[in-house]
């Protein structure tokens, strides 16, 4: 895992979501992507952001609600809301379009961005009543909603496909919407291998240099866009698209970071909330430090669940007790820190990449057999399988390239929140708390949270609550052993929302809708089709 890696998985193996979609399954392609934000002054409330003052290391002095924007469309934005979309056939059975949004909503005359969207038109099977568009977002931040919709549309319940156009909008800076680029493939290879548990000053210097190189590359290639990829701006872009497709209200399913995007939309435009589903919820009230620390605890919970399952199998490579498993994982990582293993013939498996590989497998229990095999191989001197899991996390391609996902992930998170830490000394002081939350991953995640300290653009966001007063019912789904968006986050968001309805999935993996629980799927689909939210406190299992 790279030193700048957020503890949450950006787009949670979107390529695996594509493969599962081909099998008719709907998988979350996302995570909370919890990179810390860059240090900076809080924004004014005039653009809808919370006017929250911040204290040292990004800790909020006070957390206030996100303020709604005026219901009337400002005159200076009228031309954007009056565009005519031209949907053209693309990517086999889909239709694509593009439209303009202002680079800076506070200064719309300063230039535009071009955003791309895709849709699968409602098929109207069985004479179904058309319900408009259903916008889908897989999370990240940085996950391509265009690719996601193309991969998962066929997996949606037929009644949902009949009633809704399934729409994916690549957020600004992502995928096909003015994508951010930062490093070449070979430099990303080096970045992902850097030691994320430095034991001396030389190691700290190497980690800081890697973070600084990443930030400088983003600044060089992205230019002014780097300061305008916030979640607030992306939510405002969604409102433009809502108007252009002719819907009076936004219907939306967001997973992981997509819940932050959807909750932000609800906070800014509560009167335009239609049927919103927020699955694998993030908690906007947390500062970067608290978010990273509690997320570390989420991965520890997921590891313990993996170990419990592994202990039931005679070939478990990490022993037959939780204590043995922890000791063997620690021994493997310590050994890799001293001497990396052979990987793919040209690269070696480092400690950082091994941690990334383990974390990758925490996102879904169907990856646990692969992790067992990879850990067994590593014990026998073969780092290739764990390296492949790490590559999967970053979506590294066979030719050594990297998609835009990681670059956008860092850019959004560094803009949304002030940093967890501003110096290596801050990290060193916080490591004990992180290790208490997560004995096996806490140290790594503490150091990973340093990345945005070196970001070239100051954060424009701050921790806040989202009340969305007056909004229609909003369904929040939380998974009890979710690694990337801990269950407590869903409880918190549902409690913040005036109209929040919490659905609990008692299970493993990241997000719940479309992952095998008939109870969750039935509740969400009924809400999408009939507008009737599930009973408050509904609890589901597989």
């Amino acid at each position: 895992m790279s030193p700048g890696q957020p503890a949450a998985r950006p787009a949670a193996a979107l390529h695996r979501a594509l493969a599962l979609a081909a099998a008719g399954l709907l998988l979350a392609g996302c995570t909370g992507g919890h990179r810390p934000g860059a240090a900076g002054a809080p924004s004014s409330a005039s653009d809808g952001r919370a006017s929250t003052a911040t204290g040292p290391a990004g800790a909020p002095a006070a957390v206030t609600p996100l303020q709604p924007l005026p219901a009337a469309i400002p005159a200076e934005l009228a031309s954007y809301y009056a565009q005519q979309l031209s949907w053209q056939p693309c990517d086999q059975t889909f239709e694509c379009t593009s439209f303009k949004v202002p680079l800076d909503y506070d200064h719309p005359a300063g230039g535009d961005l071009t955003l791309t969207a895709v849709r699968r038109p409602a098929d109207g099977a069985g004479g179904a009543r058309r319900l408009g568009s259903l916008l889908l977002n897989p999370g990240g931040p940085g996950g391509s909603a265009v690719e996601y919709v193309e991969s998962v549309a066929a997996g949606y319940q037929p009644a949902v496909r009949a009633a809704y156009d399934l729409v994916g909008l690549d957020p600004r800076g992502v995928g096909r919407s003015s994508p951010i680029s930062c490093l070449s493939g070979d430099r990303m290879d080096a970045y992902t291998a850097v030691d994320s548990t430095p034991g001396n000053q030389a190691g700290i210097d190497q980690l800081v240099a890697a973070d600084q190189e990443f930030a400088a590359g983003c600044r060089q290639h992205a230019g002014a866009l780097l300061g305008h990829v916030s979640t607030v701006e992306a939510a405002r872009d969604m409102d433009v698209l809502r108007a252009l497709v002719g819907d009076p209200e936004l219907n939306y399913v967001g997973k992981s970071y997509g819940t932050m995007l959807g909750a932000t939309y609800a906070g800014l435009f509560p009167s335009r909330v239609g049927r919103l589903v927020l699955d694998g919820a993030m908690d906007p009230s947390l500062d970067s430090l608290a978010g990273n620390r509690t997320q570390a605890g989420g991965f520890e919970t997921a590891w313990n669940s993996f170990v419990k399952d592994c202990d039931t199998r005679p070939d478990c490579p990490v022993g037959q007790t939780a204590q043995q498993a922890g000791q063997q994982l620690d021994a493997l990582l310590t050994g890799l820190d001293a001497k990396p293993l052979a990987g793919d013939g040209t690269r070696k498996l480092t400690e950082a990449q091994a941690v990334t590989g383990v974390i990758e497998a925490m996102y879904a229990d169907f990856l646990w057999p692969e992790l067992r095999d990879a850990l067994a191989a590593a014990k026998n001197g073969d780092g290739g399988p764990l390296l492949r899991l790490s590559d999967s996390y970053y979506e590294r391609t066979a030719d050594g390239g990297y998609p835009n996902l990681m670059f956008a992930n860092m850019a959004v998170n560094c803009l949304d929140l002030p940093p967890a830490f501003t110096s290596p000394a801050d990290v060193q002081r916080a490591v004990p708390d992180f290790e208490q939350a997560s004995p096996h991953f806490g140290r790594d995640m503490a150091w990973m949270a340093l990345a945005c300290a070196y970001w070239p653009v100051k954060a424009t966001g701050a921790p806040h609550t989202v009340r969305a007063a007056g909004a229609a019912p909003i369904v929040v789904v939380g998974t009890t052993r979710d690694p990337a968006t801990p269950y407590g986050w869903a409880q918190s968001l549902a409690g913040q929302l005036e109209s929040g309805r919490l659905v609990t999935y008692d299970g493993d993996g990241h997000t719940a809708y479309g992952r095998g629980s008939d109870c969750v799927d039935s509740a969400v689909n009924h809400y999408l089709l009939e507008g009737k939210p599930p009973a408050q406190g509904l609890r589901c299992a597989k």
Side-chain angles (χ1 to χ4, degrees), residues 320-345:
Q320 297 300 311
T321 68
Q323 182 178 9
Q324 289 176 353
Q327 290 171 344
Q328 293 198 33
L329 177 63
D330 291 344
L332 172 64
L333 297 177
T334 299
L336 288 168
D337 193 27
K339 184 179 181 181
L341 290 177
D344 63 1

Side-chain angles (χ1 to χ4, degrees), residues 366-424:
F366 75 83
L367 295 176
W368 291 356
E370 188 174 346
L371 178 59
R372 291 196 301 269
D373 291 344
L375 292 172
K379 289 179 67 175
N380 291 322
D382 179 8
L386 265 179
L387 184 60
R388 286 192 291 274
L389 277 169
S390 175
D391 287 348
S392 172
Y393 181 100
Y394 291 109
E395 297 188 10
R396 184 182 188 271
T397 59
D399 62 359
Y402 289 79
N404 147 262
L405 183 150
M406 287 300 301
F407 310 136
N409 182 274
M410 180 84 87
V412 173
N413 284 304
C414 287
L415 198 58
D416 272 357
L417 286 175
F421 306 114
T422 59
S423 71

